[in-house]
């Protein structure tokens, strides 16, 4: 009896527990999508109706939709001490006024003509009025006078006097010692309001390039829906800005600033560039229509393309409904969400269409339901892997303590899940209907028109040039030995440069980056920083309701340590308590004082404080720094503050150090009550303090979660490790090139880097999954994975790029940063997914799924059987051109040369294949070998085996 011939590859593959679990899971998932494909293809209109009803019901949650624009609600971490302290300060020291500024520039602002122009501008600004307010009613008054300050103050804003000034009059005034304002009767520091001062040989001021004008208006804010609003001031400021920005012909440049400026200019920059994103949307629609169809009257998939975009829109609306119902706010950065989801959603659709297009000719002869089932079976697992890893990546991002990033990640995760659902149902149902249209030879644009039976599409439209490029040029050349070596050298070189950039990537953020380049506000902030570089941020140390008498020594210690702090400008610290002590020692009888220079009892101590704050000139200047419960006995202090100014701080890192230094100083004193430093900038600094840690934390957790999900869905540990490596390399390359492109770690780049994980997974996971579904040698499987899935991955990456390419012309920091980072993600994601990963898989790729390259029992192929019959088999049928060898222990014969079988991937069968001996018992004999390499619905070369049934019938072909 002839010995049984064994396939050494099959003998070597002894599935372990992991592989058996993998086989079960993948088979179950493929089975689910096979049945779903059949169901959708059998009931496309019902599927469309149900999914549209689902979309409509999900959108109902938008009744709770609300938009958040307050910076403290978007970028300040949850549990922020800065926010707690800000609320404490607002309660204890409510703002009484706000400042509006005007920056004046000229060749010499101390020239008479410039002062006259300033006076005319001052008059125009004070004449601004609205229905609710004018300057007199809205200004903050000091005594009987509205508080405004500028060089004009030195001449009491008197028109006659100012119009009669000479150059020498002006220089004499500004060089006067101990200059006192005739309006406020306080010392006036001329040098503090002049920029780029010029001096003569004697050191006296001879000119200056810039000066400022200040206007103080009352704060009449009221609480409304958790936000403080001052509609009266906002309306008046609108007129103030309009007057200040009027064109001038007097050689004076005017640049204004108002309280509302940040809201107007920052949000306006993002909204103005949404037209660019909309244009990107149409670019993608055109590209999808071009790629998904063929350029002829029947095979152009116009409706499929539009439905793909509609699915993205439905997923966005659905996510807004779900997230709004759950209480998640919609922020300004969410404007980018539709285009992110469009890029990801279109990628899924390319994969689905590619799977249908890649069905073998034999499978394409089958009925529509079976074709649909096979297409969704192969595509469903692939898009499940990428979609679920994207959802998990964004889900991890939602665990951040930054509200804006958390909300964005929640919206993105829900949107990606919904676009996945719609891709497998609504989009696929329209694909099935479009296939039905195509079968009926109906026109691609007007389906009412049926083409004649003799219609033939142009030869040019039948060529998929991208597919041919991958098949004939790219894949064969990449997977040669020189191609692999060049790939490793390039990837290693890029990685080395990126690691160096990653090491040098610094954390820095400037709020002016959010402003467009042509913004008056950005010009104001840039110019004032240039003209007045020594002006640091104001900072106060607040002390709450403590026993000020018992802890008076601690107050003095706090003052000394505040003054000695490295980051505080020398001579800027002022303390009501130190001035009070000086006043006591200069006005009170020494016999009433203790050794420390204070009253000997608490009652006298507090009474003297009231006297100091109400009767002494210096004390009155501190009246806003001390909050008393009463001016009559018993007197206590409920809150107080010391004031100072930071030095000019270089970057975010130094700002964080400066904040932490003063926090440590205050804590070191050990008050028995509230005591903390506070500056308006602390909200942003506290965000910057946690942003780097949040970035690395979220990236680490997201990558771990992505690996777990990828392992679960790919069901192969080695394949999952290669995908994870590609994601890590992509992120390192993106981070390193961010440094070389002038970007830093800030709130915007942190947000985008989380998004990058989801995109980076897509490029690698599709290739790896396809590799796992193909049997044969690693080299052949890598090549076929590229040919099979490469065009779809490239189209997905290129469509993502198209969504953002127009943002390169934006003047918004947010959108320019989105463009830069997404460009890097697409480039490096494709580099590692389409170049590096196939090379690695060709050497160290995992074994294929058990379902790879095998036909399913329920999918007989008449064409195969007919060909087998023509070659002399009892119940033939293989569509073959190539050599078929029947191997036995006794002989070997060769069939005709025109024999090359084609098979598609189906569930595995045992390798024990009986010979074509019709009288032999079932299960004995030798397999038939061919030069076929079965692929996942793709033709190739390698080995295949025909499983024989009774009396020579061929029920299936296995690989």
């Amino acid at each position: 009896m002839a010995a049984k011939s064994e396939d050494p590859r099959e003998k070597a593959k002894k599935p372990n527990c992991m592989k058996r679990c993998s086989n079960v899971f993948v088979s179950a998932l493929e089975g689910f999508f096979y049945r779903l494909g059949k169901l959708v293809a059998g009931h496309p209109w019902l599927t469309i109706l149900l999914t549209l009803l689902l979309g409509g019901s999900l959108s109902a949650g938008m009744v709770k939709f609300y938009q958040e624009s307050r910076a403290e609600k978007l970028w300040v971490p949850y549990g922020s001490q800065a926010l707690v302290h800000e609320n404490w300060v607002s309660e204890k020291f409510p703002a009484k006024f706000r400042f509006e500024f005007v920056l004046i520039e000229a060749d010499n602002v101390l020239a008479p003509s410039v002062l006259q122009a300033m006076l005319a501008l001052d008059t125009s600004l004070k004449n601004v009025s609205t229905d609710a307010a004018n300057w007199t009613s809205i200004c903050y008054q000091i005594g009987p006078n509205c508080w405004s300050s500028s060089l004009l103050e030195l001449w009491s804003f008197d028109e006659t006097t100012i119009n009669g000034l000479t150059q020498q009059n002006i220089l004499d005034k500004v060089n006067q010692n101990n200059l006192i304002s005739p309006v406020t009767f306080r010392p006036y520091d001329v040098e503090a309001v002049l920029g780029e001062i010029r001096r003569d040989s004697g050191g006296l001021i001879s000119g200056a390039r810039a000066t400022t004008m200040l206007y103080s208006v009352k704060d009449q804010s009221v609480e409304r829906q958790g936000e403080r609003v001052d509609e009266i001031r906002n309306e008046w400021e609108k007129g103030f800005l309009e007057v200040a920005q009027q064109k001038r012909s007097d050689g004076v440049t005017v640049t204004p600033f108002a309280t509302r400026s940040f809201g107007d200019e920052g949000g306006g920059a993002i909204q103005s560039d949404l037209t660019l994103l909309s244009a990107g949307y149409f670019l993608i629609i055109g590209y999808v229509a071009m790629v998904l169809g063929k350029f002829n009257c029947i095979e152009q998939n116009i409706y499929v393309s539009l439905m793909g975009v509609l699915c993205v829109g439905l997923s966005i609306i659905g996510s807004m409904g779900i997230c709004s119902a759950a209480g998640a706010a919609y922020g300004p950065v969410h404007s980018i969400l539709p285009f992110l989801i469009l890029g990801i959603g279109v990628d899924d659709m390319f994969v689905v269409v590619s799977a249908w297009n890649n069905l073998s000719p034999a499978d394409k002869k089958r009925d529509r339901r079976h074709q649909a089932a096979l297409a969704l079976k192969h595509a469903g697992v692939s898009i499940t892997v990428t979609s679920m890893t994207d959802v998990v990546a964004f889900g991890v991002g939602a665990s951040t303590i930054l509200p804006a990033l958390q909300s964005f990640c929640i919206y993105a995760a829900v949107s990606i899940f919904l676009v996945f659902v719609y891709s497998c149902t609504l989009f696929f149902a329209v694909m099935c209907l479009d296939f039905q249209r195509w079968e009926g030879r109906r026109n691609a644009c007007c389906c009412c028109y049926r083409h004649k039976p003799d219609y033939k599409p142009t030869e040019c439209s039948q060529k998929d040039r991208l597919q041919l490029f991958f098949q004939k040029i790219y894949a064969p050349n990449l997977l040669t030995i020189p191609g692999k070596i060049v790939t490793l050298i390039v990837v290693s070189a890029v990685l080395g440069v990126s690691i160096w950039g990653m090491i040098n990537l610094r954390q820095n953020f400037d709020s002016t980056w959010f402003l467009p380049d042509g913004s008056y506000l950005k010009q104001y902030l840039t110019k004032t920083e240039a003209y007045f570089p020594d002006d640091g941020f104001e900072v106060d140390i607040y002390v709450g309701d403590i026993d000020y008498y018992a802890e008076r020594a601690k107050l003095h210690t706090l003052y000394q340590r505040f003054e000695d702090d490295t980051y505080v400008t020398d001579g800027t610290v002022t303390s009501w308590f130190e001035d009070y002590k000086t006043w006591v020692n200069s006005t009170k009888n020494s016999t009433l004082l203790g050794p420390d220079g204070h009253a000997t009892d608490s009652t006298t101590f507090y009474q003297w404080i009231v006297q100091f704050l109400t009767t002494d000139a210096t004390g009155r200047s501190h009246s806003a720094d001390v909050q008393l419960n009463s001016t009559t006995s018993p007197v206590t202090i409920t809150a107080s503050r010391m004031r100072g100014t930071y030095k000019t701080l270089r970057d975010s890192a130094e700002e964080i150090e400066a904040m932490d230094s003063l926090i440590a100083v205050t804590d070191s004193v050990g008050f028995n009550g509230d005591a903390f430093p506070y500056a308006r900038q602390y909200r942003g600094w506290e965000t910057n303090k946690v942003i780097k840690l949040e970035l690395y934390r979220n990236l680490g957790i997201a990558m771990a979660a992505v690996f777990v999900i990828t392992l679960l869905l790919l069901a192969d540990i080695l394949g999952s490790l290669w995908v994870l490596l590609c994601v890590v390399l992509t992120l390192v390359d993106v981070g390193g090139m961010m440094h070389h492109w002038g970007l830093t770690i800030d709130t915007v780049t942190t947000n985008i880097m989380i998004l990058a994980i989801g995109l980076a997974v897509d490029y690698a996971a599709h290739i790896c999954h396809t590799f796992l579904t193909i049997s044969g040698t690693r080299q052949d499987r890598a090549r076929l994975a590229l040919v099979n899935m490469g065009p779809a991955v490239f189209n997905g990456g290129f469509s993502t790029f198209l969504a953002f390419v127009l943002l390169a012309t934006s003047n918004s920091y947010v959108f320019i940063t989105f463009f830069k980072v997404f460009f890097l993600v697409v480039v490096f994601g494709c580099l590692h997914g389409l170049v590096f990963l196939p090379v690695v898989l060709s050497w160290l790729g995992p074994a294929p799924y058990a379902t790879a390259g095998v036909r399913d029992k329920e999918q007989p192929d008449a064409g195969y059987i007919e060909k087998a019959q023509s070659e002399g088999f009892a119940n033939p049928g293989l569509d073959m051109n190539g050599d078929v060898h029947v191997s036995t222990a006794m002989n070997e014969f060769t069939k005709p040369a025109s024999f090359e079988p084609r098979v598609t991937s189906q569930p595995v069968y045992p390798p024990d294949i009986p010979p074509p001996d019709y009288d032999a018992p079932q299960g004995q004999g030798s397999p038939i070998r061919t030069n076929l390499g079965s692929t996942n619905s793709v033709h190739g070369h390698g080995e295949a085996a025909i499983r024989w049934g009774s009396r020579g019938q061929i029920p299936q072909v296995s690989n």
Side-chain angles (χ1 to χ4, degrees), residues 222-240:
V222 294
E223 188 82 16
R224 185 176 299 167
Q225 295 181 347
E227 183 177 6
R228 296 197 66 80
V229 178
D230 189 341
E231 293 180 350
I232 295 176
R233 187 186 75 243
N234 282 340
E235 192 63 26
W236 185 86
E237 285 178 346
K238 183 179 179 181
F240 175 90

Side-chain angles (χ1 to χ4, degrees), residues 34-47 356 367-370 372-373 428-429 432-433 436:
Y34 183 86
R35 290 188 293 273
L36 178 63
K38 262 192 171 181
L39 181 65
V40 172
H43 309 280
W45 287 110
L46 179 61
T47 302
W356 197 317
D367 64 77
R368 173 167 45 88
R369 288 187 65 190
H370 281 86
F428 197 68
C432 294
L433 289 174
Q436 188 176 349

